[in-house]
Amino acid sequence: MAKHFQKKGRRILGWDLQDWIKGFFGTNATLSIVILLLICFYLIREAVMFFPSHHQGLTLYRQTGQEFVGHLIEEVDEHAKIVAMTDQAYYRELDEKFGNERGVSDSYEALLEPLEDAGEDFIDALDDEEEGAQEAWDTFATKTLSKVYKKEIDTFNRLDDDSWNALLASMKGWDPLEGDPPAFVEEARAKMKEGMASFELARAEVSAADDQLDSLRGKLVKIASVVREDAKAELTSAARKIALEQGIASTTDPDKKAELEEKLSEVKIMDSFPFAARSTPMAESKDAHKAAAADLKAKLTAGVAKLPAEFASQPAAELIERVRKKTPDVLEELDESVAEAARWRWDKPVGYFDSALQFFFGRDWVTNSSWHDFYGLLPLFTGSVLISCIALAIAVPFSVGAAIYVNRIATRLEQNIIKPVIEMVQAIPSVVLGIFGILVLGEGLREFSQVEALSWIPGFPMQERLNILNAGLLLALMAVPTIFTLCEDALNNVPRSFSEASLALGASRIQTVIKVILPTAISGIFAAILLGLGRVIGETMVVLLVAGNKIAMPDWGAGVGVVAQPTHTMTGIIAQEMGEVADGTLHWRALFLVGLVLFTISLCINVAAQRIIRRLSHL
Amino acid sequence: MNDPSTILESQDVAAPTSGTIIDIDDLSFSYDLGKTNTLRNISLDIPAGKVTAFIGPSGCGKSTLIRCLNRMNDLVDTAKVTSGKISIMGQDIHAPDVDAIELRKHVGMVFQKYNPFPKSIYENVAYGLRVQGIKKKSILDQAVEESLQKSALWSEVKDRLNTSALGLSGGQQQRLCIARTIAVKPQIVLMDEPCSALDPIATARIEELIAELQQDFTIVIVTHNMQQATRVSDRTAFFYLGELVEYDDTQAIFGNPSKKQTEDYVSGRFG
C-alpha cells in the first residue's frame, strides 16, 4: 500500500485535471483530422459522380444529332468573329476618315426624336392641312432646335461647331410630312458612302459569306431541339415508370397499390427512343453541310481579299491585319470541323475517356441552356492561370525587392516602418479590395488607357473596366505580404557569417546580396513564391468582383493585349453558381469537380513549397 | 603617401617589408554612439612582415580592435570611433575619402568560425577576384591554384575543385577561407581566433601555415590560446577591459612581463 508518492488533487470520473486537459486537446486534434477527412471524402465522392452523368449527357447529345449541328454552330460563330473584327475596323476607319459626316448623319437621326415626338400635334395639324399649321410648326421647330444641346445629340462628339451650326440651319426648312433629310445631310451621307464604297462592299461580302451555312444551321437547330425535347421527355417517363413499379412492389396497402397501378397505366413509354429515325435529317445534311462550307470558304476568301490595303486609321489597319492572319486559321478549322461532322453517327458510342477529356479540355462552359449544357474546364482554368501569372509577375519583383531592401539595406527605422505596413495589407478584407478594384482601379485604369499617347501599349485603350489585368493587379497586392514575409525569413536564415566573409573580401553590399545572399536563399524565395501562387490561385472574392466573369477562351490574337479582356475563374464560378443549382444535378457535380481540381492544385503547390522549405532547413 | 588614391586603390601597392604598417594612435571606440567606450586610448604600432598576436581574457576588446582594422565594425549602425585614429600604410582609414570596400581588398580577414560560401571550392577562392570584375579564366585559374598552394590545400583538393566547399573537413574549410582571403593579395591578413573551432591537429596545420604566410603578408592574429601566441607570433599585445596593458616582443611578454596584470594572465592566474 503506497501511501506516499501518489498523485494529488481531486479526481473526476477517475481522471485528474491533467488527464482532462490532455483529453481536451487530444479530442480537438482528432476532431479536426476527422472533419478534414470527411470533407475530402465528400468532395471526392460528389466530384467523381460527375463523370457517369456527364457521359450520359454527351451520349444523348450525340444520339439526338445535336453534336452534328454543334459543328455548324461553332463554324458560324467562328465566322462571326471575323465579321465582328471587320465591322470594328470599318467603323474605326469611317470615324477617322468621315467622322464629321458620320456625326452629321447620326445627329440628324437624333434630332428627329425631339421634333417628331414633341411635335406630334403640329405634324397632325399639318397633315390635316389646318389653317396656320405651317406657321405653328415653324415656330415650334425653331424653338426646339434652339433648345437642343450639342452634347446630348452628338454624344460621341464627332462634329465640329461649324458643322453643328450648319446642321441646325439646314433643319430649319425640314418638312416633317415628307420626312426626307435635308440636302446637307444627304450630301454628308453621299460623301461617306462614296468614300467607303469599296470597303463597304468587301465588308458586306465577308459578312454574307456564311448565308448558306447559317440557314442550314437554323433549320437543323430547330429539328434537333425538338428531338432533344422528345428524347428527354421519354427518359423522364421511363424513370417515372421504374419509380412507380418500385413503389407498387414495396407497398402493402391495396388502395395505394391500385392508385399507383392506375398511374402506371397512364405512363406510356416506347421500347426504345427511335434515335435513328429522328436523327435522319441531320445524317442527310452531311452533303449540304459540305457544300455550304465550301461556299463560305470561297466567299470569305474573296471578301477578305477585297478588303482595302491602305487605311487612314492605325487601329483599323491592325484589325484588318488580324483578320487577314486569322482567316486561313478559321478556314483550316472549318475543314477539320466539316470532316469531323461527316464522321458523326448517332449510334457511335461515346468513350468514357473522351467524355472525361471533354471536361478537362472543353472550351465551353454553358449551363442552363435549352440546347445543351457544356462543362469545359479550360476557359476557367486559363482565366485562373492568366490572372495568377500576372499577379505573380507583378508581386514577385516587388516583394522580393522589398524583402532584400528591408533585410539587408534598410536602417532599423525603415525596417520598423516598412515591415508592419506591408504586413497590414494582409488585413484588408478581400471584398473591400474588390470594391476598390471596381470603383477606383478599374475606372482609373480605363481612363488611363484612353490617353492618346499610350495607345501603343497592347490592349490600350481598354474596352472593359473589369478585366484580367485589374484582377491581377489586386491579387498582386494580396500576394505581396505573403511573399514578402516568407522571403524575408529566407534571407534571415542566411548565416551572417556569409555576408561578413563577402564584405571582408572587398565586395560591396549589392555584390554580396546578388552573389552570396540570393543564391543561398534562393530555394526559400522560390518556396515563398509558390505559397504566394497558392494564395492567389485560391482567392475568390476579388476575382469574382473584378475579373469580369465572362466565360470564354481569351482571344490570343490580341497578343499581350489579352490582359485587357474579361475572364472567369475556377474559384469565381463555384462561388457564383453553387447557390443556384439543385443538389445532385450534373451542374452541381461539375462545380464539385472544379472544386476538386482547385483543391488538387493547391495541395500540390503547398506540398512542393513545404518540401523546398524542409530541404532548406537541412542546409 | 597621403593621397588615398595612390595607396588604397592600386592593387600593387608595395607593402613595406619592414617598419610600421599599422599605426594605431590613441584609439577609443564605442558600440553605442559614444555612451560607453569598448576600447580606450589604445596606441600600438604593428610591424610589417611580422606576426602580431592580440591576447587577453574574453571581453577585453581584442576582437573589436582587429575588426576596426578593416572597418568591419561599420556593419554595426551604432559603432563609432570616439577618439584617435588608425593609419594603415600611412593613410588614416577613417578619412572621409577612404572607401571601406577598397580598404578591405588590402586588409583581408579570416573569421573565428570557418565560413566558406555554399559554392564550389574553386568559386570560393575566385570570389574576391570576381567581385573585382576579373573574368578571365586564365587569371582566375592561376590565382586559385597559387592561393590553394600557399594555404597548403592544393594537393588535397586539386581533383575536386568543382565540388561543394561544404564537403571539406573543418580544418580544410578554414584553410580554404585563408586561401580565399590571400587570393586577392592583401598586404595584411587579420585572423580572428582562426583555430578556436578546430581540433588540435587541424590547429597545428593552420599554425604551420601562418609561419609560411608570414613571408608574404603582415599577420595580425587574435587568440585565446597563449601557447599559440608563443608559437606563432613575433610581437604580442595584452589587453584587459578595453585597454592595452602591455605590448612587446612575444618572448618578453611571456618570459619577462613588466606589468603585474600581464604576468598574472600569462601564468594562468586569471582569464
Side-chain angles (χ1 to χ4, degrees):
Chain A
M1 279 290 120
K3 278 268 174 196
H4 313 284
F5 316 130
Q6 281 182 331
K7 266 191 182 173
K8 293 205 171 114
R10 279 181 58 193
R11 287 169 171 266
I12 306 162
L13 298 175
W15 275 14
D16 67 5
L17 188 62
Q18 297 273 334
D19 292 333
W20 280 107
I21 293 173
K22 222 168 25 180
F24 175 71
F25 288 125
T27 317
N28 283 354
T30 318
L31 207 63
S32 44
I33 292 174
V34 168
I35 291 173
L36 184 69
L37 286 177
L38 277 178
I39 291 176
C40 288
F41 173 73
Y42 183 66
L43 186 64
I44 291 170
R45 193 192 64 180
E46 291 302 325
V48 168
M49 293 280 280
F50 168 82
F51 290 108
S53 325
H54 186 226
H55 180 257
Q56 262 174 21
L58 286 177
T59 308
L60 185 68
Y61 184 60
R62 174 166 292 174
Q63 288 172 334
T64 55
Q66 285 175 295
E67 191 181 20
F68 177 79
V69 187
H71 287 293
L72 275 76
I73 296 176
E74 211 169 290
E75 289 156 20
V76 170
D77 283 352
E78 283 300 309
H79 172 257
K81 281 183 196 159
I82 291 204
V83 173
M85 257 154 49
T86 319
D87 284 355
Q88 211 184 338
Y90 176 82
Y91 287 110
R92 282 291 176 105
E93 180 73 1
L94 183 64
D95 272 350
E96 185 70 31
K97 267 184 166 165
F98 302 105
N100 215 26
E101 285 76 6
R102 193 179 173 196
V104 169
S105 171
D106 288 359
S107 301
Y108 162 70
E109 298 286 345
L111 277 174
L112 292 185
E113 210 178 300
L115 285 175
E116 285 183 334
D117 288 358
E120 209 175 331
D121 294 344
F122 299 101
I123 298 174
D124 286 348
L126 274 178
D127 205 20
D128 298 344
E129 297 184 10
E130 278 174 30
E131 207 168 312
Q134 188 60 44
E135 285 75 29
W137 164 258
D138 285 345
T139 323
F140 164 75
T142 317
K143 205 171 144 198
T144 309
L145 288 175
S146 69
K147 275 198 300 193
V148 293
Y149 287 103
K150 178 171 182 289
K151 246 194 339 209
E152 283 168 16
I153 300 295
D154 182 27
T155 41
F156 290 96
N157 197 21
R158 291 192 174 104
L159 282 179
D160 54 34
D161 285 343
D162 288 346
S163 309
W164 170 248
N165 290 331
L167 174 67
L168 286 186
S170 75
M171 288 301 289
K172 288 259 162 65
W174 184 68
D175 180 358
L177 292 182
E178 293 284 331
D180 290 337
F184 178 67
V185 177
E186 295 276 27
E187 249 170 61
R189 287 186 172 171
K191 196 172 163 197
M192 241 160 61
K193 200 169 175 187
E194 196 195 321
M196 299 296 288
S198 65
F199 198 163
E200 170 65 40
L201 205 70
R203 177 172 85 107
E205 201 168 328
V206 168
S207 167
D210 72 337
D211 281 354
Q212 209 177 326
L213 188 66
D214 196 31
S215 71
L216 181 65
R217 177 199 63 109
K219 195 179 90 188
L220 292 180
V221 162
K222 271 188 204 139
I223 298 171
S225 297
V226 175
V227 178
R228 172 193 147 95
E229 285 311 310
D230 293 350
K232 275 204 145 178
E234 185 64 26
L235 281 175
T236 323
S237 343
R240 191 170 145 80
K241 188 180 172 194
I242 291 168
L244 284 171
E245 278 168 354
Q246 276 173 353
I248 291 164
S250 64
T251 186
T252 47
D253 179 1
D255 290 346
K256 199 158 190 190
K257 206 166 207 166
E259 191 188 324
L260 288 175
E261 267 164 358
E262 194 189 322
K263 274 190 186 165
L264 183 61
S265 65
E266 282 168 16
V267 178
K268 291 202 171 52
I269 58 162
M270 308 173 206
D271 289 341
S272 62
F273 190 81
F275 284 114
R278 298 292 300 269
S279 65
T280 327
M282 269 60 83
E284 284 171 352
S285 299
K286 283 183 183 174
D287 288 337
H289 178 211
K290 261 181 213 158
D295 180 59
L296 186 152
K297 203 170 172 178
K299 283 187 180 157
L300 183 62
T301 315
V304 169
K306 278 186 200 156
L307 286 169
E310 305 253 317
F311 296 91
S313 143
Q314 185 57 31
E318 280 166 16
L319 279 162
I320 293 299
E321 185 55 34
R322 268 171 66 190
V323 167
R324 291 216 163 91
K325 255 203 233 151
K326 199 179 159 95
T327 306
D329 298 344
V330 169
L331 291 179
E332 202 175 304
E333 276 170 33
L334 177 69
D335 283 343
E336 282 166 25
S337 172
V338 170
E340 202 157 311
R343 282 197 293 274
W344 166 83
R345 269 175 36 222
W346 78 270
D347 54 350
K348 197 156 66 179
V350 179
Y352 279 94
F353 189 63
D354 280 350
S355 75
L357 282 187
Q358 288 235 11
F359 172 78
F360 289 106
F361 298 99
R363 301 162 71 94
D364 296 295
W365 180 281
V366 182
T367 55
N368 297 328
S369 154
S370 59
W371 171 251
H372 178 74
D373 286 356
F374 293 92
Y375 299 100
L377 184 68
L378 205 56
L380 305 171
F381 182 78
T382 317
S384 283
V385 168
L386 261 180
I387 290 179
S388 305
C389 285
I390 289 171
L392 281 193
I394 297 165
V396 167
F398 269 100
S399 34
V400 175
I404 291 171
Y405 184 78
V406 165
N407 195 267
R408 295 284 153 175
I409 300 167
T411 61
R412 189 47 59 82
L413 179 71
E414 284 174 313
Q415 282 182 0
N416 288 343
I417 296 171
I418 299 173
K419 267 175 85 165
V421 168
I422 292 184
E423 276 152 18
M424 202 131 71
V425 173
Q426 220 155 13
I428 305 174
S430 57
V431 68
V432 174
L433 267 185
I435 296 170
F436 171 80
I438 295 174
L439 298 178
V440 183
L441 188 61
E443 205 51 56
L445 264 180
R446 194 170 58 175
E447 259 164 46
F448 180 65
S449 77
Q450 309 291 341
V451 176
E452 202 77 34
L454 295 173
S455 59
W456 54 271
I457 298 176
F460 278 25
M462 291 179 178
Q463 312 284 333
E464 307 281 347
R465 190 173 54 144
L466 304 180
N467 54 38
I468 297 175
L469 180 63
N470 192 346
L473 282 170
L474 284 179
L475 286 191
L477 187 63
M478 296 189 73
V480 163
T482 310
I483 304 179
F484 168 82
T485 310
L486 292 166
C487 234
E488 227 236 308
D489 283 351
L491 291 172
N492 249 339
N493 283 337
V494 176
R496 203 185 160 71
S497 64
F498 285 175
S499 57
E500 274 191 343
S502 168
L503 290 169
L505 286 166
S508 67
R509 270 174 193 251
I510 303 295
Q511 282 173 325
T512 304
V513 167
I514 295 172
K515 292 188 172 229
V516 177
I517 312 287
L518 277 186
T520 312
I522 194 70
S523 52
I525 292 171
F526 190 64
I529 294 171
L530 269 184
L531 287 173
L533 175 66
R535 171 119 173 74
V536 163
I537 213 158
E539 169 55 38
T540 308
M541 207 59 219
V542 164
V543 292
L544 186 62
L545 289 171
V546 174
N549 297 353
K550 182 186 168 203
I551 312 172
M553 287 302 288
D555 177 10
W556 300 108
V560 187
V562 79
V563 302
Q565 296 168 7
T567 191
H568 213 319
T569 55
M570 293 191 285
T571 49
I573 200 94
I574 299 176
Q576 192 184 11
E577 297 185 345
M578 203 43 143
E580 296 166 12
V581 298
D583 288 11
T585 57
L586 183 58
H587 188 183
W588 196 68
R589 298 215 163 101
L591 293 178
F592 265 94
L593 190 51
V594 176
L596 186 64
V597 171
L598 254 177
F599 179 62
T600 315
I601 293 174
S602 290
L603 196 69
C604 291
I605 290 172
N606 273 291
V607 168
Q610 297 277 341
R611 287 198 161 196
I612 292 169
I613 288 172
R614 207 174 310 144
R615 207 177 59 197
L616 181 75
S617 61
H618 284 304
L619 190 80
Chain B
M1 286 293 266
N2 278 335
D3 180 2
S5 60
T6 58
I7 302 168
L8 294 180
E9 277 175 20
S10 138
Q11 197 65 8
D12 298 314
V13 189
T17 47
S18 61
T20 301
I21 188 165
I22 303 174
D23 178 7
I24 304 169
D25 183 16
D26 193 36
L27 181 79
S28 295
F29 176 85
S30 164
Y31 274 125
D32 49 12
L33 293 174
K35 275 181 222 144
T36 52
N37 279 338
T38 311
L39 297 175
R40 281 186 302 276
N41 308 94
I42 292 180
S43 295
L44 190 70
D45 297 337
I46 292 172
K50 295 255 158 57
V51 178
T52 304
F54 291 176
I55 61 169
S58 296
C60 68
K62 56 194 190 301
S63 280
T64 302
L65 180 62
I66 203 174
R67 291 169 74 91
C68 281
L69 300 181
N70 66 345
R71 285 180 53 181
M72 277 312 268
N73 286 325
D74 286 11
L75 299 182
V76 181
D77 287 338
T78 52
K80 191 183 169 198
V81 172
T82 48
S83 77
K85 67 172 190 175
I86 301 172
S87 302
I88 293 181
M89 295 178 272
Q91 170 64 44
D92 175 4
I93 63 167
H94 288 99
D97 49 357
V98 168
D99 182 2
I101 293 168
E102 288 301 322
L103 170 70
R104 290 179 197 139
K105 289 175 188 167
H106 296 265
V107 185
M109 186 162 199
V110 177
F111 294 85
Q112 192 168 356
K113 174 88 174 99
Y114 43 86
N115 55 355
F117 302 125
K119 298 170 184 276
S120 68
I121 295 169
Y122 182 96
E123 283 305 321
N124 261 284
V125 183
Y127 183 84
L129 298 170
R130 283 203 195 272
V131 297
Q132 289 181 28
I134 297 169
K135 293 198 180 74
K136 218 168 160 195
K137 187 94 171 53
S138 57
I139 298 180
L140 291 175
D141 283 350
Q142 197 197 344
V144 168
E145 180 176 349
E146 206 176 296
S147 310
L148 285 172
Q149 252 160 1
K150 269 193 194 158
S151 53
L153 200 58
W154 177 251
S155 57
E156 292 162 53
V157 301
K158 65 173 189 281
D159 298 324
R160 48 170 176 150
L161 287 175
N162 290 316
T163 59
S164 170
L166 302 182
L168 298 173
S169 73
Q172 285 175 322
Q173 289 196 26
Q174 188 63 301
R175 274 181 282 147
L176 179 66
C177 290
I178 293 171
R180 181 173 71 181
T181 306
I182 60 179
V184 292
K185 298 202 167 61
Q187 278 81 34
I188 301 163
V189 176
L190 309 174
M191 295 186 174
D192 187 0
E193 302 196 35
C195 303
S196 64
L198 301 179
D199 61 61
I201 294 169
T203 301
R205 300 213 53 179
I206 300 277
E207 285 176 9
E208 280 167 32
L209 183 56
I210 290 171
E212 278 164 37
L213 291 175
Q214 191 185 355
Q215 296 159 9
D216 298 317
F217 307 97
T218 301
I219 292 171
V220 181
I221 178 168
V222 166
T223 177
H224 219 83
N225 177 332
M226 282 173 282
Q227 283 74 33
Q228 185 171 64
T230 57
R231 284 194 297 264
V232 300
S233 69
D234 304 305
R235 305 266 297 168
T236 297
F238 170 59
F239 294 87
Y240 186 59
L241 296 179
E243 283 173 9
L244 176 63
V245 176
E246 192 169 352
Y247 177 47
D248 208 333
D249 284 343
T250 302
Q251 284 165 341
I253 290 276
F254 286 93
N256 184 21
S258 58
K259 296 264 172 64
K260 176 89 171 50
Q261 266 176 333
T262 317
E263 194 187 340
D264 287 349
Y265 182 72
V266 298
S267 58
R269 240 165 273 165
F270 82 98

